[in-house]
Amino acid sequence: MKQDMIVILDLGSEKNTVVARAIRALGVYSEIYPHDVTVRELESLYNLKGIVLNGGPNHIVDGVDIDVDHEIYHIGVPVIAAGFAKAGCTVNLPQFGDDVEAVKKALKSFVFDTCKAEANWNMENFISDQVELIKKQVGNKKVLLALSGGVDSSVVAAMLLKAIGNQLVCVHVNHGLMRKNESEKVVEVFKNQLNANLIYVDAVDRFLNKLSGVSDPEQKRKIIGSEFIRVFEEEARKLDGIEFLGQGTIYPDIVESGTKTAKIVKSHHNVGGLPKDLQFALVEPLKQLFKDEVRACGVALGLPDEMVYRQPFPGPGLGVRCLGAITRDRLEAVRESDAILREEFHNAGLDKKVWQYFTLIPDFKSVGVKNNARCFEWPVIIRAVNTVDAMTATVEPLDWSVLSKVTDRILKEVKNVNRVLYDMSPKPCATIEWE
Ligand code: XMP
């Protein structure tokens, strides 16, 4: 590893990731470790330049009063106390939350003046480090990757491709619940442009048959999840010599922040549910990155912006936006109306501003009139929300002109639809998705 590193020891603070991000923003790499990390483990970290003890208000983790091993004061790097840490170190950071600028200034002085760290954390170094590590881990073996086309799996694919070329085998399962042209784009970018070894599986009929007549949302989600594992497993069994599974685990998946349980959670949530005889060792080259760093990594690896700056998309895809029992006509109408919404948001510059936006279709019809004749067709509902962490969300106050344009186009271009509605409900009490 080429980068200098500052370690944050979690003594029950809620601000671990805030501190980690503030240090990374200075161009210095930073990782969070649990309070009971061993001195030996810390000593083994290459280029460790300093330690931040980050304490919560009552020094309690999992109900136990905690302290760090006092040996850490003697391992030869500066130690600073932040938050509420009661510590044997001489320097104390001001509280985050009181005066953010003052904390940042103090952190900066600690990192550069006290620890003498170098600002050498950047994507170029990160990528070259990871490429080296992947080569070392994988050797001449093969890595299998489920490539959904989402940000994380796409960036992992690009990284592995750079490291091991055609020792990477990507499997893209088209379950029929992708957005318009999404599967085509995965094939175009990875197979045609980047020459990846990509197996494209058309499982559309298989998924839609399984889902036929199933209206319970949880049941639908379960079927989509387990069928995905089954298809992936079948493909994996056809391949020889695979020893590793690529995985788009990212840093927030690993570090759970929170006063009580801020621990390193081992990354065992692989393409969960694979049978015992199909267990692979994991390759997780993004596991140290925050989401925005994953995107920057994707850009640095040459992926197109539309792949890297995608809005979040649920695993079960359009399946949870075609409410109730999925039918092909409604699924097509969701897909087409969603494509129109995305195009018009792009034209209006809203794609850079709004966090998540999509359409959905409920499973009831209403009476309308088309070409002077009565019709009985589906409504399309538009959802456009802003949020920081998806736990709460507000509704985007869309311009009337955008709503009218989208409505006109959906009513003209999408079959079997005679109404367009805008969902005005914040979360809570609504959720972002309807199912
Ligand atoms: P809700 O509907 O719970 O959604 O307010 C919060 C965020 O999570 C996304 N979402 C999912 N993402 N797999 C995912 O990867 C899923 O099964 C899933 N369900 C919901 C949703 O789109 C929103 O951004």
Side-chain angles (χ1 to χ4, degrees):
M1 297 289 267
K2 294 182 181 64
Q3 305 105 22
D4 288 353
M5 175 165 170
I6 303 285
V7 158
I8 295 154
L9 285 194
D10 169 28
L11 275 71
S13 169
E14 284 176 16
K15 298 279 194 319
N16 295 314
T17 51
V18 179
V19 178
R21 297 188 55 106
I23 296 173
R24 288 192 190 186
L26 297 169
V28 178
Y29 184 57
S30 163
E31 275 188 21
I32 304 159
Y33 281 78
H35 65 91
D36 54 359
V37 65
T38 62
V39 166
R40 179 170 294 186
E41 214 175 316
L42 289 174
E43 281 173 337
S44 74
L45 295 171
Y46 185 70
N47 276 1
L48 176 66
K49 294 289 178 182
I51 297 172
V52 180
L53 303 179
N54 201 24
N58 44 16
H59 321 291
I60 287 180
V61 172
D62 289 343
V64 179
D65 199 358
I66 48 157
D67 199 359
V68 291
D69 183 346
H70 283 233
E71 279 297 304
I72 71 157
Y73 301 121
H74 308 295
I75 63 174
V77 298
V79 181
I80 194 173
F84 296 85
K86 49 169 185 187
C89 35
T90 44
V91 207
N92 278 278
L93 276 178
Q95 297 282 335
F96 240 108
D98 294 347
D99 179 352
V100 175
E101 284 317 306
V103 183
K104 283 189 174 164
K105 207 169 146 214
L107 260 184
K108 189 172 174 181
S109 161
F110 173 69
V111 168
F112 294 120
D113 304 335
T114 314
C115 302
K116 309 272 186 251
E118 240 185 85
N120 52 10
W121 160 245
N122 58 50
M123 272 309 143
E124 208 179 305
N125 284 348
F126 176 77
I127 291 169
S128 76
D129 275 352
Q130 289 305 319
V131 164
E132 243 172 74
L133 288 172
I134 293 166
K135 281 184 174 160
K136 210 157 138 199
Q137 185 189 2
V138 172
N140 58 3
K141 303 292 193 309
K142 285 185 189 163
V143 181
L144 181 63
L145 174 74
L147 176 57
S148 67
V151 181
D152 303 341
S153 72
S154 298
V155 178
V156 172
M159 180 78 91
L160 285 166
L161 211 49
K162 190 177 168 78
I164 54 167
N166 61 11
Q167 285 164 252
L168 169 70
V169 183
C170 302
V171 173
H172 176 73
V173 178
N174 182 359
H175 50 27
L177 308 168
M178 309 288 283
R179 288 175 291 194
K180 191 172 181 179
N181 293 331
E182 214 161 27
S183 278
E184 290 81 353
K185 188 79 193 171
V186 170
V187 174
E188 167 59 25
V189 169
F190 285 97
K191 195 170 184 121
N192 302 347
Q193 291 174 20
L194 299 174
N195 258 328
N197 196 348
L198 172 69
I199 298 168
Y200 171 83
V201 187
D202 179 349
V204 177
D205 288 343
R206 181 171 170 164
F207 274 82
L208 295 186
N209 290 341
K210 277 264 168 190
L211 287 163
S212 169
V214 181
S215 57
D216 176 61
E218 281 311 302
Q219 192 64 21
K220 285 167 69 180
R221 278 174 178 272
K222 274 193 197 126
I223 291 173
I224 297 166
S226 60
E227 201 57 17
F228 181 86
I229 302 284
R230 235 168 259 154
V231 174
F232 188 73
E233 181 198 327
E234 282 171 25
E235 292 305 319
R237 285 197 194 285
K238 290 183 203 161
L239 300 164
D240 277 335
I242 305 271
E243 294 199 9
F244 295 92
L245 190 68
Q247 188 86 122
T249 315
I250 69 173
Y251 206 44
D253 299 334
I254 293 182
V255 182
E256 265 183 37
S257 51
T259 41
K260 279 212 321 245
T261 54
K263 284 181 187 160
I264 305 279
V265 179
K266 292 282 176 234
S267 40
H268 49 121
H269 57 106
N270 52 350
V271 181
L274 279 181
K276 282 254 171 340
D277 64 323
L278 259 187
Q279 295 297 317
F280 307 96
L282 296 182
V283 185
E284 301 173 292
L286 310 181
K287 68 170 187 246
Q288 290 141 351
L289 299 185
F290 290 105
K291 193 76 183 187
D292 54 321
E293 294 169 337
V294 173
R295 295 188 207 277
C297 183
V299 170
L301 285 163
L303 289 179
D305 276 8
E306 59 187 287
M307 212 161 226
V308 169
Y309 291 101
R310 273 171 41 126
Q311 50 169 323
F313 188 56
L318 299 182
V320 292
R321 297 177 183 168
C322 186
L323 306 190
I326 296 170
T327 54
R328 286 183 192 245
D329 60 344
R330 272 192 312 132
L331 189 57
E332 230 19 68
V334 176
R335 201 181 334 262
E336 290 301 321
S337 57
D338 180 69
I340 291 170
L341 182 77
R342 285 195 286 143
E343 199 178 313
E344 291 305 327
F345 266 46
H346 176 74
N347 292 342
L350 289 167
D351 52 345
K352 304 241 164 25
K353 177 174 176 244
V354 182
W355 195 81
Q356 194 175 18
Y357 46 95
F358 54 88
T359 63
L360 59 113
I361 301 194
D363 53 351
F364 59 82
K365 292 179 176 178
S366 76
V367 175
V369 56
K370 270 186 182 174
N371 304 322
N372 295 323
R374 179 189 188 274
C375 60
F376 191 50
E377 295 178 319
W378 312 111
V380 164
I381 299 170
I382 297 171
R383 192 97 173 104
V385 296
N386 292 306
T387 176
V388 175
D389 55 10
M391 302 298 286
T392 62
T394 55
V395 175
E396 169 72 15
L398 279 180
D399 274 356
W400 199 255
S401 59
V402 174
L403 281 170
S404 308
K405 182 87 193 284
V406 173
T407 302
D408 281 354
R409 280 197 60 194
I410 290 177
L411 292 179
K412 270 199 200 93
E413 296 172 37
V414 183
K415 278 189 210 139
N416 305 311
V417 167
N418 64 357
R419 274 176 211 274
V420 177
L421 313 169
Y422 188 40
D423 181 353
M424 296 285 291
S425 328
K427 176 180 180 176
C429 44
T431 49
I432 297 176
E433 305 286 348
W434 275 48
E435 281 193 341

